[in-house]
Amino acid sequence: MQYADLLIETHDKVAVIRLNRPKAMNALNDNMMNELGDALYKFDADPAIHVIILTGSEKVFAAGADIAAMANYTYADTYPGNYIGRNWEHILNVRKPVIGVVSGYALGGGCELAMMCDFLIAADTAKFGQPEIKVGVTPGAGGTQRLPRAIGKSKAMDMLLTARMIDAQEALNTGLISRVYPADKVMEESLGVAQAIAAMPVTVAMAIKDSVNRAFETTLSEGVRYERRYFHAAFGTPAQKEGMSAFLEKRQPNFDGK
């Protein structure tokens, strides 16, 4: 795959998508988001890929939406044209696990895009923030919705209303991210995490992802029923047969093709 604003690489069953607009601090524009959707869907459909990593550069994940591109927009440009909705949310349709790896700044739309990943790993240099209020707008890609769900109302209100950034350690303490590594080790460690997931049965990983996401859209009792349908269905799969046989035989399971 060749893109103008993305760099692509693969490591066995893991695909790495790197945002790449260095002169614009990886500001998110239409072309980048269209390309990102294309790459995500292609890897999601590729049976050789089990896990996707989304990352930026060592200095910045994404500094936000491209203000230079949207500064002169009017309401007539944004609402009828479905700005953001038309091409920012393809990542939410990806069924395979998507790990966000953040080094440097993840601000505004960059923070919102990161929060659309299934979980986040950060370098100790990472900074997260939603500074939209400083440019006279609200967040538009989930900042007021996903951030409170991730870190709680009080902390989210603080960040959204003051525009202050939090560092990797505070992000870890609040639950926004799951792990922190030194900047020079974060991609190596993240690839290790991704490869560990990729060694598991991809169908089960997809079911777990679907079930967890369902938890945020329904009641507890309905969510448990949804989960249990996947649990029951697993007993008709090769993954369950291999996994439980390997456990009883005290060997490592081989989930290739399962």
PDB file of all heavy atoms in Angstrom, residues 206-218:
ATOM      1  N   MET A 206     -11.732 -10.989  18.157  1.00  0.00           N
ATOM      2  CA  MET A 206     -12.791 -10.158  17.572  1.00  0.00           C
ATOM      3  C   MET A 206     -14.059 -10.220  18.412  1.00  0.00           C
ATOM      4  O   MET A 206     -14.738  -9.205  18.612  1.00  0.00           O
ATOM      5  CB  MET A 206     -13.065 -10.606  16.138  1.00  0.00           C
ATOM      6  CG  MET A 206     -11.913 -10.306  15.183  1.00  0.00           C
ATOM      7  SD  MET A 206     -11.987 -11.244  13.629  1.00  0.00           S
ATOM      8  CE  MET A 206     -13.429 -10.522  12.876  1.00  0.00           C
ATOM      9  N   ALA A 207     -14.389 -11.388  18.923  1.00  0.00           N
ATOM     10  CA  ALA A 207     -15.591 -11.538  19.756  1.00  0.00           C
ATOM     11  C   ALA A 207     -15.437 -10.778  21.079  1.00  0.00           C
ATOM     12  O   ALA A 207     -16.394 -10.155  21.558  1.00  0.00           O
ATOM     13  CB  ALA A 207     -15.865 -13.015  20.015  1.00  0.00           C
ATOM     14  N   ILE A 208     -14.254 -10.844  21.665  1.00  0.00           N
ATOM     15  CA  ILE A 208     -14.005 -10.112  22.912  1.00  0.00           C
ATOM     16  C   ILE A 208     -14.125  -8.610  22.666  1.00  0.00           C
ATOM     17  O   ILE A 208     -14.768  -7.881  23.440  1.00  0.00           O
ATOM     18  CB  ILE A 208     -12.628 -10.475  23.491  1.00  0.00           C
ATOM     19  CG1 ILE A 208     -12.649 -11.906  24.038  1.00  0.00           C
ATOM     20  CG2 ILE A 208     -12.208  -9.491  24.584  1.00  0.00           C
ATOM     21  CD1 ILE A 208     -11.289 -12.446  24.428  1.00  0.00           C
ATOM     22  N   LYS A 209     -13.524  -8.122  21.595  1.00  0.00           N
ATOM     23  CA  LYS A 209     -13.619  -6.702  21.253  1.00  0.00           C
ATOM     24  C   LYS A 209     -15.077  -6.288  21.077  1.00  0.00           C
ATOM     25  O   LYS A 209     -15.514  -5.263  21.620  1.00  0.00           O
ATOM     26  CB  LYS A 209     -12.825  -6.424  19.976  1.00  0.00           C
ATOM     27  CG  LYS A 209     -13.030  -5.021  19.420  1.00  0.00           C
ATOM     28  CD  LYS A 209     -12.113  -4.740  18.245  1.00  0.00           C
ATOM     29  CE  LYS A 209     -12.441  -3.388  17.621  1.00  0.00           C
ATOM     30  NZ  LYS A 209     -11.429  -2.954  16.639  1.00  0.00           N
ATOM     31  N   ASP A 210     -15.836  -7.070  20.344  1.00  0.00           N
ATOM     32  CA  ASP A 210     -17.249  -6.757  20.119  1.00  0.00           C
ATOM     33  C   ASP A 210     -18.016  -6.730  21.434  1.00  0.00           C
ATOM     34  O   ASP A 210     -18.840  -5.835  21.674  1.00  0.00           O
ATOM     35  CB  ASP A 210     -17.844  -7.790  19.160  1.00  0.00           C
ATOM     36  CG  ASP A 210     -19.262  -7.462  18.747  1.00  0.00           C
ATOM     37  OD1 ASP A 210     -19.607  -6.261  18.665  1.00  0.00           O
ATOM     38  OD2 ASP A 210     -20.035  -8.402  18.505  1.00  0.00           O
ATOM     39  N   SER A 211     -17.751  -7.685  22.308  1.00  0.00           N
ATOM     40  CA  SER A 211     -18.468  -7.766  23.586  1.00  0.00           C
ATOM     41  C   SER A 211     -18.131  -6.593  24.498  1.00  0.00           C
ATOM     42  O   SER A 211     -19.017  -6.019  25.144  1.00  0.00           O
ATOM     43  CB  SER A 211     -18.148  -9.090  24.290  1.00  0.00           C
ATOM     44  OG  SER A 211     -18.598 -10.188  23.536  1.00  0.00           O
ATOM     45  N   VAL A 212     -16.865  -6.218  24.571  1.00  0.00           N
ATOM     46  CA  VAL A 212     -16.474  -5.085  25.415  1.00  0.00           C
ATOM     47  C   VAL A 212     -17.108  -3.800  24.890  1.00  0.00           C
ATOM     48  O   VAL A 212     -17.640  -2.993  25.666  1.00  0.00           O
ATOM     49  CB  VAL A 212     -14.940  -4.951  25.494  1.00  0.00           C
ATOM     50  CG1 VAL A 212     -14.554  -3.650  26.198  1.00  0.00           C
ATOM     51  CG2 VAL A 212     -14.339  -6.136  26.232  1.00  0.00           C
ATOM     52  N   ASN A 213     -17.069  -3.597  23.589  1.00  0.00           N
ATOM     53  CA  ASN A 213     -17.696  -2.398  23.029  1.00  0.00           C
ATOM     54  C   ASN A 213     -19.197  -2.377  23.290  1.00  0.00           C
ATOM     55  O   ASN A 213     -19.791  -1.319  23.517  1.00  0.00           O
ATOM     56  CB  ASN A 213     -17.408  -2.305  21.534  1.00  0.00           C
ATOM     57  CG  ASN A 213     -15.975  -1.903  21.244  1.00  0.00           C
ATOM     58  OD1 ASN A 213     -15.324  -1.259  22.054  1.00  0.00           O
ATOM     59  ND2 ASN A 213     -15.471  -2.290  20.085  1.00  0.00           N
ATOM     60  N   ARG A 214     -19.810  -3.550  23.291  1.00  0.00           N
ATOM     61  CA  ARG A 214     -21.241  -3.646  23.567  1.00  0.00           C
ATOM     62  C   ARG A 214     -21.558  -3.179  24.991  1.00  0.00           C
ATOM     63  O   ARG A 214     -22.636  -2.645  25.255  1.00  0.00           O
ATOM     64  CB  ARG A 214     -21.694  -5.099  23.389  1.00  0.00           C
ATOM     65  CG  ARG A 214     -23.181  -5.345  23.543  1.00  0.00           C
ATOM     66  CD  ARG A 214     -23.935  -4.878  22.319  1.00  0.00           C
ATOM     67  NE  ARG A 214     -25.336  -5.290  22.377  1.00  0.00           N
ATOM     68  CZ  ARG A 214     -26.185  -5.140  21.371  1.00  0.00           C
ATOM     69  NH1 ARG A 214     -25.772  -4.626  20.222  1.00  0.00           N
ATOM     70  NH2 ARG A 214     -27.447  -5.504  21.489  1.00  0.00           N
ATOM     71  N   ALA A 215     -20.616  -3.364  25.897  1.00  0.00           N
ATOM     72  CA  ALA A 215     -20.832  -2.991  27.295  1.00  0.00           C
ATOM     73  C   ALA A 215     -21.135  -1.508  27.448  1.00  0.00           C
ATOM     74  O   ALA A 215     -21.834  -1.108  28.384  1.00  0.00           O
ATOM     75  CB  ALA A 215     -19.617  -3.360  28.137  1.00  0.00           C
ATOM     76  N   PHE A 216     -20.635  -0.684  26.533  1.00  0.00           N
ATOM     77  CA  PHE A 216     -20.845   0.752  26.621  1.00  0.00           C
ATOM     78  C   PHE A 216     -22.125   1.196  25.919  1.00  0.00           C
ATOM     79  O   PHE A 216     -22.456   2.387  25.932  1.00  0.00           O
ATOM     80  CB  PHE A 216     -19.645   1.488  26.024  1.00  0.00           C
ATOM     81  CG  PHE A 216     -18.408   1.344  26.854  1.00  0.00           C
ATOM     82  CD1 PHE A 216     -17.503   0.326  26.610  1.00  0.00           C
ATOM     83  CD2 PHE A 216     -18.147   2.208  27.909  1.00  0.00           C
ATOM     84  CE1 PHE A 216     -16.360   0.172  27.380  1.00  0.00           C
ATOM     85  CE2 PHE A 216     -17.009   2.068  28.684  1.00  0.00           C
ATOM     86  CZ  PHE A 216     -16.119   1.045  28.426  1.00  0.00           C
ATOM     87  N   GLU A 217     -22.832   0.247  25.317  1.00  0.00           N
ATOM     88  CA  GLU A 217     -24.025   0.602  24.552  1.00  0.00           C
ATOM     89  C   GLU A 217     -25.300  -0.008  25.109  1.00  0.00           C
ATOM     90  O   GLU A 217     -26.375   0.209  24.567  1.00  0.00           O
ATOM     91  CB  GLU A 217     -23.857   0.133  23.089  1.00  0.00           C
ATOM     92  CG  GLU A 217     -22.596   0.627  22.397  1.00  0.00           C
ATOM     93  CD  GLU A 217     -22.588   2.128  22.168  1.00  0.00           C
ATOM     94  OE1 GLU A 217     -23.676   2.735  22.207  1.00  0.00           O
ATOM     95  OE2 GLU A 217     -21.499   2.687  21.968  1.00  0.00           O
ATOM     96  N   THR A 218     -25.191  -0.772  26.206  1.00  0.00           N
ATOM     97  CA  THR A 218     -26.373  -1.499  26.680  1.00  0.00           C
ATOM     98  C   THR A 218     -26.323  -1.647  28.199  1.00  0.00           C
ATOM     99  O   THR A 218     -25.399  -1.195  28.863  1.00  0.00           O
ATOM    100  CB  THR A 218     -26.458  -2.871  25.985  1.00  0.00           C
ATOM    101  OG1 THR A 218     -27.713  -3.473  26.265  1.00  0.00           O
ATOM    102  CG2 THR A 218     -25.340  -3.797  26.438  1.00  0.00           C
TER     103      THR A 218
END
